[in-house]
Amino acid sequence: MIVRVLGDGQYELDNVEADKFTNLDAALARHVEEGDEEASRRDLASLLDYDHRNGTAVSDDDFRPSDQVLPYPSASLAEVKALLEDEPALIEEEHAGS
């Protein structure tokens, strides 16, 4: 799984790590949907930390599409929500060329 962190780059997670990432991502999506800004910030920080600790940085000249996109650490609840709402379209566009 390739995860793009806006303003930071891309990271590759193996399948075991990707499963844990997916669970953390689901918690973030749930808290964003509920409008819980405090929990959303905590979830986003956990996701970014997990990605940095467990992912392998992808070289800037490696142009593989991202499977997931994370906002920058200081993103507001509204910005995270907007990204989550747009994400399916981004993934469909990226895989259309495959």
Side-chain angles (χ1 to χ4, degrees):
M1 168 187 277
I2 303 295
V3 178
R4 176 179 303 281
V5 179
L6 297 179
D8 184 23
Q10 289 183 299
Y11 297 85
E12 184 170 15
L13 297 171
D14 70 27
N15 290 337
V16 173
E17 293 159 349
D19 288 342
K20 175 67 174 168
F21 178 91
T22 300
N23 291 335
L24 292 168
D25 189 49
L28 172 63
R30 184 176 62 253
H31 288 126
V32 167
E33 183 66 31
E34 293 169 356
D36 187 337
E37 183 142 10
E38 184 178 328
S40 296
R41 286 192 184 279
R42 185 177 57 243
D43 294 340
L44 178 57
S46 293
L47 267 172
L48 293 170
D49 180 61
Y50 188 83
D51 193 48
H52 288 120
R53 282 187 295 111
N54 297 291
T56 302
V58 174
S59 172
D60 289 340
D61 61 354
D62 186 339
F63 298 109
R64 288 181 280 173
S66 304
D67 298 300
Q68 295 284 337
V69 178
L70 292 177
Y72 49 92
S74 61
S76 70
L77 180 65
E79 291 168 318
V80 175
K81 188 171 186 173
L83 181 64
L84 288 173
E85 290 171 352
D86 289 341
E87 189 170 10
L90 289 173
I91 291 171
E92 288 173 15
E93 287 174 14
E94 289 177 343
H95 290 288
S98 306

